[in-house]
Amino acid sequence: MANKFYQEYKLGILGGGQLGRMLIQSGIDLNIDFNVLDPDPKAPCHQISNFTCGKLTDFDTVIAFGEKCDLITIEIENVNTDALKQLVKMGKKVFPQPDVIELIQDKRVQKLFYRQNDIPTAEFILTEDRNEVVNNQAFLPAVHKLGKGGYDGQGVQMIRTANDIQKAFDRPGVLEKLVDFEKEIAVIVSRNERGEVRAFPSVEMVFHPEANLVEYLLSPAQISSEISRIASGLATKVVTELKMVGLLAVEMFVTKDGKVLVNEIAPRPHNSGHHTIEANVTSQYQQHLRAILGLAPGNTDSIRPAAMVNLLGEEGHSGIANYVGLEEVLAVEGTYVHLYGKKLTKPFRKMGHVTIVDHDIESLKKKIDFVKKTLKVTT
Ligand SMILES: Nc1ncnc2c1ncn2[C@@H]1O[C@H](COP(=O)(O)OP(=O)(O)O)[C@@H](O)[C@H]1O
Ligand SMILES: [Mg+2]
């Protein structure tokens, strides 16, 4: 095998979005040769890697791409896992392992995995079609999720009462009890081939009081040390039972009666770990590389409180992106702007994020408000 640190070692990433872009940023210091596959010729990684334009779900495309690499990883789950299994047979390292990616691709299989491994999760029923949702009215209020293919909220429906049932997906899904949660948190863990696991401190999604949308992420989460210990233990258990190598983001609910339930998992760097670039000793991106390269995990301690605000395309604007208020935001102490290199904006497209650090939570919140009302992506 080529020496890992002298640019002969080729790392392939399936997916060339912002997560790949930040992974590349953190790998430059390790002399890694990055190769990226993405269907969009202008994907955020296209100018900063050996870039191949092609479909991640196409068997032959993934094989042809992977054959040139020593180690293959992902920054999105929707990839051809048969091709990845074939690459493993051909002697390539693939982390996270293809069978773990496959399990996570289907929310139904994920839920069965939690049940089989005694991992607390919202009660659920597997449904094959809309009719089965109709026949389970006694289970409402519930959340109905597509097994496969949903992302960024596209595959999730609130079904509170019988009136909502007509809109239910007519495809295999999972009907989950609606959890009346106090907080929604996430813990990112890493595991390497030697089985060494490290958890990052938990992060909290802070919701807008009226709009019911995530406003920003706060690190560390404002929860008791007991809840934080339980959350970190659960994330460790999930990654260990999966025997996964790489980074795993574990989304959880903290219920009003103090229970912690696993909601869903993602086997890659995650939106809830962006702040680790500036706010933790080791970033999630560096940690992912350490895990898949078989290196010792880095220290995950939080250095200082941080908030992360996603920069989304403004409603009513589609076209070449224009960033309003960027200079004003950069003039605030403790703000770090990350733009994802996307030329075109559209409503709610993730165009970048801003991390804000401050030792004082009250002053941090004021800065969050300022960033949210000042920085806009228009056309
Ligand atoms: N069982 C549930 N009870 C209450 N809210 C839920 C439940 N499942 C999901 N949600 C809400 O919907 C959001 C999206 O669901 P999730 O399963 O995380 O799908 P996605 O793949 O879109 O992120 C969650 O972040 C949470 O706010
Ligand atoms: Mg989610």
Side-chain angles (χ1 to χ4, degrees):
M1 190 197 294
N3 183 318
K4 279 181 200 165
F5 304 113
Y6 292 94
Q7 299 192 328
E8 292 144 26
Y9 193 77
K10 292 194 186 309
L11 174 59
I13 314 176
L14 297 186
Q18 60 267 18
L19 298 170
R21 187 168 158 107
M22 290 181 269
L23 195 62
I24 292 174
Q25 260 181 340
S26 81
I28 287 172
D29 288 336
L30 293 176
N31 279 354
I32 294 168
D33 177 349
F34 283 100
N35 300 266
V36 172
L37 178 68
D38 194 281
D40 176 1
K42 291 272 191 273
C45 293
H46 86 281
Q47 283 174 317
I48 55 168
S49 62
N50 289 321
F51 187 79
T52 309
C53 183
K55 264 179 95 170
L56 304 170
T57 48
D58 181 67
F59 183 89
D60 293 333
T61 307
V62 173
I63 294 281
F65 171 78
E67 271 181 328
K68 298 178 302 186
C69 304
D70 298 292
L71 168 66
I72 297 120
T73 191
I74 58 165
E75 60 107 60
I76 183 169
E77 293 89 294
N78 191 13
V79 298
N80 191 307
T81 49
D82 289 333
L84 292 179
K85 287 178 188 170
Q86 183 63 31
L87 287 165
V88 172
K89 285 196 191 123
M90 290 159 66
K92 304 294 181 183
K93 289 207 172 212
V94 179
F95 293 136
Q97 302 91 322
D99 60 327
V100 176
I101 302 173
E102 213 165 74
L103 183 151
I104 292 174
Q105 279 175 344
D106 191 337
K107 286 196 168 157
R108 293 155 55 94
V109 186
Q110 262 189 57
K111 290 292 273 187
L112 291 172
F113 166 81
Y114 305 142
R115 186 179 274 169
Q116 277 152 16
N117 289 282
D118 288 327
I119 292 157
T121 188
E123 236 188 284
F124 68 95
I125 302 173
L126 297 185
T127 51
E128 300 308 318
D129 53 26
R130 184 180 299 139
N131 245 339
E132 288 205 8
V133 181
V134 174
N135 292 339
N136 280 295
Q137 288 197 20
F139 201 70
L140 306 185
V143 179
H144 189 225
K145 302 183 184 180
L146 276 182
K148 283 185 167 186
Y151 59 92
D152 275 347
Q154 299 293 309
V156 175
Q157 308 170 310
M158 295 291 158
I159 311 231
R160 290 176 192 275
T161 67
N163 293 337
D164 299 331
I165 290 191
Q166 280 323 309
K167 69 171 187 195
F169 301 120
D170 198 16
R171 278 160 48 197
V174 52
L175 195 62
E176 283 182 26
K177 281 268 189 225
L178 183 76
V179 177
D180 185 17
F181 57 80
E182 167 93 41
K183 291 201 170 193
E184 201 167 347
I185 61 170
V187 173
I188 291 176
V189 275
S190 69
R191 183 177 176 279
N192 64 17
E193 270 184 288
R194 295 190 295 274
E196 291 174 293
V197 177
R198 281 290 185 291
F200 282 88
S202 28
V203 170
E204 170 179 355
M205 325 310 166
V206 179
F207 284 81
H208 186 280
E210 286 115 48
N212 202 30
L213 288 172
V214 176
E215 274 226 273
Y216 59 90
L217 266 68
L218 195 61
S219 163
Q222 307 291 293
I223 51 177
S224 69
S225 55
E226 173 65 3
I227 297 284
S228 134
R229 194 185 54 74
I230 295 172
S232 155
L234 268 178
T236 301
K237 180 169 161 72
V238 174
V239 79
T240 307
E241 301 283 5
L242 284 171
K243 298 188 183 65
M244 189 193 124
V245 173
L247 203 68
L248 183 75
V250 183
E251 296 180 14
M252 293 178 253
F253 301 124
V254 180
T255 65
K256 294 194 168 139
D257 51 352
K259 291 200 193 75
V260 185
L261 305 175
V262 171
N263 173 32
E264 63 157 353
I265 55 179
R268 52 169 170 78
H270 195 252
N271 192 58
S272 64
H274 290 337
H275 66 283
T276 56
I277 298 174
E278 291 91 7
N280 294 63
V281 179
T282 305
S283 80
Q284 65 163 345
Y285 302 99
Q286 168 86 207
Q287 195 75 324
H288 181 62
L289 291 175
R290 284 170 173 259
I292 63 177
L293 288 166
L295 305 170
N299 179 321
T300 56
D301 288 352
S302 152
I303 306 171
R304 46 197 175 171
M308 191 283 293
V309 178
N310 278 124
L311 182 53
L312 306 177
E314 217 35 36
E315 259 183 288
H317 292 262
S318 292
I320 297 188
N322 174 38
Y323 299 88
V324 178
L326 198 67
E327 292 185 27
E328 289 89 327
V329 162
L330 279 168
V332 178
E333 199 173 316
T335 57
Y336 299 86
V337 174
H338 297 256
L339 300 181
Y340 299 157
K342 299 177 184 175
K343 192 171 171 189
L344 300 176
T345 182
K346 61 182 178 196
F348 305 110
R349 187 174 194 202
K350 282 182 185 160
M351 300 299 289
H353 73 262
V354 182
T355 298
I356 312 155
V357 298
D358 201 319
H359 287 288
D360 171 359
I361 296 275
E362 284 317 305
S363 136
L364 183 62
K365 287 187 176 162
K366 286 199 188 102
K367 289 176 181 172
I368 297 166
D369 285 344
F370 179 78
V371 169
K372 285 193 75 84
K373 70 169 198 286
T374 310
L375 188 55
K376 306 275 177 211
V377 190
T378 62
T379 47

